[in-house]
Amino acid sequence: MASLKSQDILALSFMTFALFVGAGNIIFPPIIGLQAGPSVWVAALGFLVTAVGLPVMTIVALARVGGPMDALSGPIGRTAGGILAAACYLLVGPLFATPRTATASFEAGVAPLVGDTPLVLFIYTLLYFMVVLAVSLYPGRLLDTVGRFLAPLKILALTVLGVAAFLLPQGTVGDATPAYQAAPFAQGFINGYLTMDTLAALVFGIVIVNAIRSKGVDSLRLITRYAIIAGLFAGVGLALVYISLFRLGASSHEIAVGATNGAAVLHAYVQTVFGDVGSAFFAVLMFLACLVTAVGLTCACAEYFSKVLPISYRHLVFLLTGFGLLVSNLGLTKLIQLSEPVLGAIYPPCIVMVALSFCWKFWHAPGRAIAPAMAVALLFGGLHALHGAGLGAWLPGWLLTLPLAEQGLDWLLPVVLVLVIASVVDAILGRRQVAADGQPQA
């Protein structure tokens, strides 16, 4: 029975970590550290829950069912599961996450050196997506190209930046903004959504499993073990990166006055500490960090849609990179503004699906409990997203009085209540339902 060698497991772990560390992972922690002030570590704890804990839990959940997202969404039915999967793949693929990798690497690393104009942005994103296209056309080589070459370079660059953040702080901690003064943990928790890491984990699960299988491993038990090892390695790596970037942001109060996003904070710090050479180094860091994530997302999306649409993998890679090129030219600020309400709606049902996947054995028919819980999570997440998008005037006022509404967690208690009721109904109806492939039915 084939198994991975130690160096293959290490390369897989590096690849998994590198796939996750993209634009959002680098640009959001510094601005949170800057704005949270003395409450930075409370906010960091909330951020780590949604930006590290949930993605790792998702990788483990996917490994337990063999990798594909449709196996994880089995209890809610094929149609609903397919819609959810398509939405996740589109969001972390061509609609938001993949274009954001290009714009973030441009605005944080390249624009300060060559200027921020539409023409320069187009030229950069054109070259960027040409590289993404070239690497994504050969998914079977991901473990070698990403795990053995690009990922180590990316980790080395992040290590240098992280060590500098602790050894070379550039000032004292400033005052917290009103939002972080009122609820630092909740603010960190919600901002963890913006990394899209949980959605990315749902997408990357099959990429990680396919990378393992590309080395001849067929045993589900071994695939699960290797995926869990890689997921835990990536989680530890992400936590270390975030902690160093929180520290960097918190100590940059004096040099990043007026900064409105993490890219500005990072550039101010790097320019102050390392000068022009540092700015060039940071541009390379952002390019590597974002490129690896873009390749992983493109491969995953093309892999998925090639199975549900009559379009080949190679043609989809061309379509996805071309569409990503167009969307990326909207600019980073516009992309973040567009993504915030959408992520606020889609995250709650995905969190519920992943969390409850560990509890399937407690129900006779898991779909009876999981489907209504996810529906309620989607409903309340969508309503909160509408309020966040400035459409609150159209919503009933009682929504704003729900417990945890101010923290963006107003969906939590309704989900728990519906889950309890649905579990009672399931117990009354009884009779365990299992499909022919061993997965629970809706």
Side-chain angles (χ1 to χ4, degrees):
M1 182 170 56
S3 60
L4 295 185
K5 300 178 181 178
S6 298
Q7 58 265 35
D8 291 328
I9 296 175
L10 187 61
L12 177 71
S13 300
F14 279 154
M15 186 196 79
T16 304
F17 170 75
L19 287 174
F20 278 108
V21 183
N25 309 84
I26 295 177
I27 64 176
F28 290 120
I31 193 64
I32 295 174
L34 183 72
Q35 295 178 345
S39 302
V40 58
W41 299 118
V42 179
L45 181 61
F47 186 89
L48 291 175
V49 171
T50 47
V52 176
L54 285 175
V56 171
M57 188 167 68
T58 302
I59 291 294
V60 174
L62 286 168
R64 292 174 68 245
V65 297
M69 182 180 170
D70 54 0
L72 198 63
S73 63
I76 66 174
R78 180 170 299 179
T79 300
I83 294 173
L84 179 64
C88 289
Y89 276 96
L90 289 173
L91 290 175
V92 300
L95 292 182
F96 294 131
T98 305
R100 192 178 70 182
T101 64
T103 55
S105 61
F106 171 77
E107 295 191 19
V110 177
L113 301 177
V114 299
D116 186 2
T117 66
L119 177 60
V120 175
L121 174 61
F122 176 76
I123 294 173
Y124 174 81
T125 53
L126 177 62
L127 295 175
Y128 180 91
F129 279 104
M130 287 177 65
V131 177
V132 173
L133 172 67
V135 179
S136 300
L137 284 173
Y138 303 97
R141 301 178 185 174
L142 271 185
L143 190 57
D144 294 320
T145 57
V146 175
R148 300 184 188 278
F149 177 65
L150 293 178
L153 289 177
K154 184 176 183 177
I155 292 171
L156 177 62
L158 288 170
T159 300
V160 172
L161 184 61
V163 171
F166 279 95
L167 297 182
L168 301 171
Q170 294 302 300
T172 58
V173 177
D175 296 329
T177 62
Y180 283 98
Q181 290 177 359
F185 180 87
Q187 286 296 317
F189 186 93
I190 295 300
N191 275 289
Y193 287 179
L194 298 179
T195 66
M196 300 191 196
D197 278 347
T198 298
L199 302 185
L202 289 169
V203 171
F204 287 148
I206 191 63
V207 175
I208 296 168
V209 170
N210 285 344
I212 298 171
R213 286 176 173 156
S214 71
K215 295 298 180 179
V217 179
D218 295 322
S219 168
L220 180 59
R221 179 179 60 83
L222 288 179
I223 290 173
T224 301
R225 178 192 299 174
Y226 296 143
I228 291 175
I229 291 173
L232 292 175
F233 180 95
V236 172
L238 284 171
L240 292 175
V241 169
Y242 291 146
I243 289 171
S244 65
L245 292 178
F246 281 123
R247 167 69 173 173
L248 183 152
S251 63
S252 298
H253 178 75
E254 297 174 5
I255 63 172
V257 178
T260 58
N261 59 62
V265 178
L266 283 167
H267 177 69
Y269 178 85
V270 171
Q271 183 66 40
T272 302
V273 175
F274 299 107
D276 292 337
V277 174
S279 295
F281 158 79
F282 183 59
V284 174
L285 165 63
M286 289 298 295
F287 177 80
L288 288 174
C290 296
L291 176 68
V292 174
T293 303
V295 168
L297 292 172
T298 301
C299 290
C301 290
E303 181 81 20
Y304 173 77
F305 285 110
S306 67
K307 295 179 180 178
V308 299
L309 296 174
I311 306 176
S312 70
Y313 173 89
R314 294 179 65 86
H315 288 160
L316 282 167
V317 169
F318 278 96
L319 290 174
L320 291 170
T321 52
F323 189 80
L325 169 64
L326 295 176
V327 175
S328 64
N329 280 268
L330 293 174
L332 179 61
T333 301
K334 189 67 174 179
L335 279 174
I336 293 176
Q337 290 174 346
L338 292 173
S339 67
E340 284 181 355
V342 179
L343 294 175
I346 197 66
Y347 246 85
C350 289
I351 292 174
V352 171
M353 179 181 69
V354 171
L356 296 185
S357 70
F358 295 91
C359 307
W360 284 353
K361 65 180 180 180
F362 295 114
W363 296 294
H364 294 90
R368 294 174 184 161
I370 296 176
M374 289 181 62
V376 171
L378 177 62
L379 172 63
F380 281 87
L383 292 175
H384 186 84
L386 288 175
H387 183 266
L391 301 176
W394 297 88
L395 303 176
W398 59 265
L399 285 173
L400 302 179
T401 64
L402 288 173
L404 303 177
E406 293 184 0
Q407 290 77 25
L409 300 173
D410 42 1
W411 55 270
L412 187 57
L413 290 181
V415 165
V416 172
L417 178 61
V418 169
L419 184 62
V420 170
I421 296 173
S423 297
V424 172
V425 172
D426 175 72
I428 293 173
L429 295 178
R431 188 180 153 198
R432 190 168 302 278
Q433 298 177 1
V434 180
D437 60 358
Q439 299 295 337
Q441 291 181 329

